[in-house]
Amino acid sequence: MPSSPSSSSNSLSTYDFVIAVRDNNHVHQSPSFVTTLEPLQKTSNQSLNSVPGVGGIDGVAGIDGVVGSVGHGRGNQGRVQGSGGGSSEEYRLLPSTEKADPSSSTVTTLVAKGKDLEAVADGVRDATGDGDDGTRETWNKKIDFLLSIIGFAVDLANVWRFPYLCYKNGGGAFLIPYFIMLICGAVPLFLMELILGQFHRQGAVAVWKIAPLFKGIGVCQCLIAFYVAFYYNVIIAWSLYYLASSVAYRLPWTSCNNTWNTGRCVDGSMLNSTVENSTTPAEEFFERRVLGLHESDGLNDIGLPRPYLVLCLLGVFIMIYFSLWKGVRSSGKVVWVTATMPYVVLSILLVRGLLLPGASTGIMYYITPRLDRLGDQQVWIDAAVQIFYSVGAGFGVHIAFASYNKINSNCYRDCLVTVCVNSFTSLFSGFVIFSYLGYMSVRQGREISKVAAEGPGLVFVVYPEAIATLPGSVGWSILFFVMLITLGIDSAMGGLEAVLTGLSDEWKSTIKRFRYGREAVTAVVVFAAFLFALPNVTNGGMYLVTMWDTFAAGTAILFGVFSQAVAVSWFYGLEQFCKDAQQILGFRPNIYWRLTWKFISPFFILVIVISSIANFKPLVYDSYTMGGYVYPAWANIVGWLIAASSMSFIPIVAVYQILKFKGTIRQRFALAISPQWEHRSIMEGGRVKRFQRRHWFAL
């Protein structure tokens, strides 16, 4: 980069820059050709053809704003010639208000007929970030992006996990560690991903042009998102089956007179009787009718896929395909329904729940603070894990979604709105859930602690059982499972969009050769996920779902996000990242963001990673109808291999990147940790910024 211009015209610095034309919402640039420009010494306007040292610049369109080629020559005089339909124009040069600095990207703006022509230092990098050639699609409306990230962040865990954790870990007191972890960890990482995607306009894999050594992080994140599709969509398939079963005169989980029931089945209102090891109709419907667990002896005998679940699973993947096949143009329309419907249904269910006997008792159990629980380390770990997974950082989804933003979109506001909506949804759903749990506690004559559950048991056993006792239970059941499907479907869409964007960015030229390239790639990815999901709808599929849920997106995603935070804040550099943020947000991130990005969030994630490994317990599935199933030792080993299969790409790709570059070990490492737009300078023997002390200590 050049130093500040001297006051003497005899000692002028030079800039490496590209020419780009901003045309409404797109930026057309010529990233492959670099020329040199002597910086002006005047602050007044000056026509470009009078600037000394500009030569060989031609092919920049005049009227139509399409960039042609930029030559390498350096002549005595230069003139921007219009071509490709544009007329010859004289462009006025307006110096940047930012001082030229060896560590900055000094931007010089050229104005012509209302269109901005931007020359940016560092060769292939323009003021909109790296990687946009003007053809990348964008969201039809800004609200489409906001609804998409809200829809991904707000998922089934907001309904089935947060309320239970809040109750178990001190009620209202749980909100203290929850919001501390939110502020110190989740929000900064969320905003970091939005800035990365929006500025560089690349998905989770290609964005690592900023530091090729860490490209494996993007591969790891996309692979995790792909793994999640194997089991998360199975849960949506269960919801779809429950929805279909609800369209009946009487809900099938209300009686013990069905072919799948056993002699231990008793009506829910009679559970305070003396029947030993009794089960409810809802429990037996879920585990015997839907899952078929009684037909499996465990992982060594999972059986064949259950036909009706295969059809439901196929239906889910078909919905996902047609939501994604046109990219954000199609998914942006779907989220208008999937992201808003849950709030309508939750509001209706809350109003009905508050009218039930025992509702106030349940809500008091939910919110009553028990401050003594704050001394328990597990409470803080639960809060950290819950908010981290709830926000959804680390899956590559936020980077992918933000890459389709217009460069001037306010992703800072979108980040704060999403986090607030996500936390509100978790708290709000707790009131809904515990109003019904209080009702069930009164009806069954049991303590709420005996009624409360988390995970699939809450939404497929406890809640359906409560709904079944209400007048008009069929309608309430349909409403509830429609809500579950909409909660799940946009999160499932987001995960696969991260994979599709990663593939599309890496093989952009190949995919664009075909008229229906995007549709074909989407079909391949969705069909592959469907095939891998089939074992999870067998008789023993629940055992596999539990294993995938524990290992696929557990420690692996924490390790991936830790690596991402370190790579961006330390290797790419906090100073450069803040400059990127300032270009798209209009302001430099304050000290809170800088401290959390560089120190607090990485430390916070590292503690969770270590805790998740240290506190690991061998898998056990607690069945309602068959007792506990202890996983064999080999299953836990396979689970850790699943986790390692994604994490291993981070070091593997790092080694590959170093071996790929030419030169000495020092040069290879320098290229691997430096952005691609600095490689030319490094290969010519220039200064390596990341070998400077100033880079590492910048804050």
Side-chain angles (χ1 to χ4, degrees):
M1 293 296 298
S3 58
S4 300
S6 169
S7 59
S8 170
S9 60
N10 296 324
S11 57
L12 298 177
S13 302
T14 60
Y15 290 90
D16 280 340
F17 72 105
V18 294
I19 297 296
V21 178
R22 178 146 35 206
D23 178 12
N24 295 328
N25 298 323
H26 299 288
V27 174
H28 308 279
Q29 65 175 338
S30 180
S32 302
F33 302 94
V34 181
T35 187
T36 56
L37 170 65
E38 299 287 357
L40 295 180
Q41 300 305 303
K42 298 180 180 180
T43 56
S44 59
N45 295 346
Q46 186 171 350
S47 62
L48 186 63
N49 67 332
S50 65
V51 179
V54 179
I57 304 179
D58 64 84
V60 181
I63 302 302
D64 58 3
V66 179
V67 170
S69 62
V70 180
H72 292 271
R74 185 177 182 186
N76 296 322
Q77 293 286 329
R79 181 182 181 84
V80 177
Q81 299 287 339
S83 66
S87 59
S88 177
E89 297 288 334
E90 285 190 356
Y91 291 78
R92 293 179 301 161
L93 184 64
L94 303 176
S96 169
T97 57
E98 180 184 359
K99 292 183 179 179
D101 186 284
S103 62
S104 69
S105 294
T106 303
V107 180
T108 306
T109 304
L110 301 168
V111 182
K113 293 198 172 183
K115 296 178 180 178
D116 290 341
L117 203 65
E118 297 182 345
V120 182
D122 284 333
V124 299
R125 187 166 178 246
D126 67 14
T128 68
D130 177 49
D132 181 23
D133 61 359
T135 63
R136 193 176 188 87
E137 63 178 328
T138 57
W139 299 95
N140 290 328
K141 301 177 181 178
K142 291 183 179 180
I143 191 66
D144 292 352
F145 167 71
L146 180 60
L147 289 176
S148 293
I149 57 174
I150 289 175
F152 176 74
V154 178
D155 66 350
L156 295 170
N158 293 76
V159 174
W160 77 21
R161 182 166 171 79
F162 176 84
Y164 177 81
L165 286 179
C166 192
Y167 155 73
K168 185 184 80 169
N169 291 315
F174 180 69
L175 298 181
I176 296 175
Y178 176 84
F179 281 108
I180 289 176
M181 296 300 177
L182 175 71
I183 294 170
C184 293
V187 177
L189 295 171
F190 184 16
L191 181 60
M192 173 184 283
E193 292 195 349
L194 294 184
I195 293 173
L196 275 178
Q198 182 169 316
F199 182 83
H200 296 283
R201 300 184 67 78
Q202 299 278 353
V205 179
V207 76
W208 289 103
K209 292 178 180 179
I210 66 173
L213 184 75
F214 299 99
K215 191 172 184 178
I217 295 174
V219 178
C220 172
Q221 292 177 340
C222 289
L223 191 57
I224 291 173
F226 192 52
Y227 285 166
V228 170
F230 301 168
Y231 67 91
Y232 192 84
N233 292 309
V234 170
I235 299 172
I236 304 175
W238 296 343
S239 302
L240 188 58
Y241 181 75
Y242 266 83
L243 177 62
S245 300
S246 299
V247 184
Y249 178 74
R250 185 178 183 182
L251 296 177
W253 54 85
T254 57
S255 71
C256 297
N257 302 321
N258 303 290
T259 57
W260 58 83
N261 292 126
T262 66
R264 295 188 293 116
C265 179
V266 297
D267 182 81
S269 62
M270 301 297 293
L271 284 182
N272 55 353
S273 66
T274 58
V275 178
E276 187 176 356
N277 296 324
S278 61
T279 57
T280 67
E283 292 169 348
E284 294 200 349
F285 178 80
F286 178 55
E287 291 197 344
R288 295 177 65 85
R289 172 57 179 166
V290 180
L291 302 182
L293 275 180
H294 62 291
E295 299 181 33
S296 171
D297 294 330
L299 289 177
N300 60 328
D301 178 33
I302 61 174
L304 296 174
R306 299 176 74 79
Y308 48 85
L309 287 184
V310 172
L311 290 176
C312 291
L313 185 65
L314 179 62
V316 170
F317 276 104
I318 289 175
M319 285 190 289
I320 291 174
Y321 173 76
F322 284 108
S323 298
L324 296 175
W325 70 324
K326 295 293 185 182
V328 295
R329 288 176 295 171
S330 55
S331 64
K333 295 181 176 64
V334 174
V335 292
W336 280 84
V337 176
T338 58
T340 57
M341 175 70 75
Y343 296 98
V344 176
V345 177
L346 280 172
S347 299
I348 296 173
L349 291 174
L350 177 62
V351 172
R352 183 65 184 92
L354 291 175
L355 300 177
L356 297 173
S360 59
T361 303
I363 291 175
M364 289 306 298
Y365 265 87
Y366 171 53
I367 63 174
T368 300
R370 300 188 296 279
L371 297 178
D372 58 297
R373 295 286 291 133
L374 295 180
D376 188 346
Q377 176 187 5
Q378 189 59 43
V379 173
W380 292 82
I381 294 175
D382 284 347
V385 172
Q386 169 60 23
I387 188 57
F388 184 82
Y389 287 121
S390 183
V391 169
F395 290 92
V397 175
H398 300 315
I399 297 176
F401 280 162
S403 72
Y404 299 109
N405 264 347
K406 296 173 183 177
I407 192 60
N408 60 348
S409 295
N410 191 344
C411 63
Y412 178 80
R413 176 200 59 200
D414 294 337
C415 170
L416 298 182
V417 169
T418 301
V419 169
C420 291
V421 170
N422 181 60
S423 298
F424 166 78
T425 306
S426 296
L427 293 169
F428 185 66
S429 63
F431 284 95
V432 178
I433 295 298
F434 272 85
S435 64
Y436 285 86
L437 290 180
Y439 163 66
M440 290 300 293
S441 174
V442 171
R443 189 172 186 274
Q444 296 179 3
R446 298 194 297 172
E447 292 290 330
I448 287 184
S449 60
K450 303 294 184 181
V451 179
E454 65 170 327
L458 177 62
V459 295
F460 293 112
V461 176
V462 177
Y463 213 86
E465 188 175 13
I467 289 175
T469 64
L470 302 177
S473 58
V474 170
W476 292 113
S477 181
I478 291 174
L479 203 61
F480 177 72
F481 288 109
V482 166
M483 180 195 71
L484 286 188
I485 293 171
T486 54
L487 271 175
I489 204 74
D490 45 12
S491 296
M493 287 162 46
L496 286 180
E497 181 57 54
V499 178
L500 291 168
T501 300
L503 293 174
S504 299
D505 288 344
E506 286 298 295
W507 291 288
K508 180 187 296 185
S509 59
T510 302
I511 294 173
K512 285 187 175 181
R513 292 176 188 172
F514 303 95
R515 181 177 180 183
Y516 299 106
R518 165 73 189 205
E519 292 83 349
V521 172
T522 304
V524 171
V525 171
V526 170
F527 184 66
F530 169 73
L531 292 180
F532 281 110
L534 284 178
N536 297 326
V537 294
T538 58
N539 296 328
M542 186 61 177
Y543 303 131
L544 292 173
V545 168
T546 302
M547 191 165 73
W548 278 109
D549 185 44
T550 302
F551 292 104
T555 304
I557 198 169
L558 293 170
F559 180 71
V561 176
F562 170 74
S563 302
Q564 176 180 279
V566 171
V568 173
S569 298
W570 290 88
F571 286 85
Y572 181 55
L574 190 61
E575 184 175 0
Q576 185 60 65
F577 185 69
C578 288
K579 289 179 183 295
D580 297 346
Q582 186 171 7
Q583 286 194 33
I584 61 176
L585 299 178
F587 61 89
R588 178 178 171 83
N590 60 35
I591 190 65
Y592 157 72
W593 297 107
R594 302 198 299 273
L595 282 174
T596 51
W597 281 333
K598 193 158 189 173
F599 300 108
I600 299 175
S601 292
F603 174 77
F604 151 77
I605 304 169
L606 183 61
V607 170
I608 302 176
V609 171
I610 296 173
S611 299
S612 67
I613 297 174
N615 296 327
F616 173 76
K617 297 179 181 178
L619 285 181
V620 176
Y621 175 72
D622 293 319
S623 170
Y624 287 99
T625 60
M626 300 176 61
Y629 171 73
V630 180
Y631 283 70
W634 63 264
N636 291 280
I637 295 174
V638 170
W640 281 111
L641 288 176
I642 291 173
S645 67
S646 55
M647 290 189 291
S648 63
F649 275 97
I650 298 177
I652 290 174
V653 174
V655 172
Y656 168 76
Q657 292 289 348
I658 291 177
L659 295 176
K660 183 182 71 172
F661 292 117
K662 298 179 181 180
T664 64
I665 293 297
R666 184 181 185 277
Q667 289 173 329
R668 292 182 179 189
F669 186 70
L671 292 169
I673 65 174
S674 301
Q676 285 189 355
W677 53 84
E678 295 180 8
H679 286 190
R680 178 169 173 259
S681 173
I682 294 173
M683 289 186 290
E684 292 176 351
R687 179 174 58 90
V688 181
K689 294 180 182 178
R690 280 139 196 89
F691 286 172
Q692 306 298 315
R693 183 181 301 175
R694 180 174 182 268
H695 170 83
W696 296 97
F697 288 94
L699 183 64

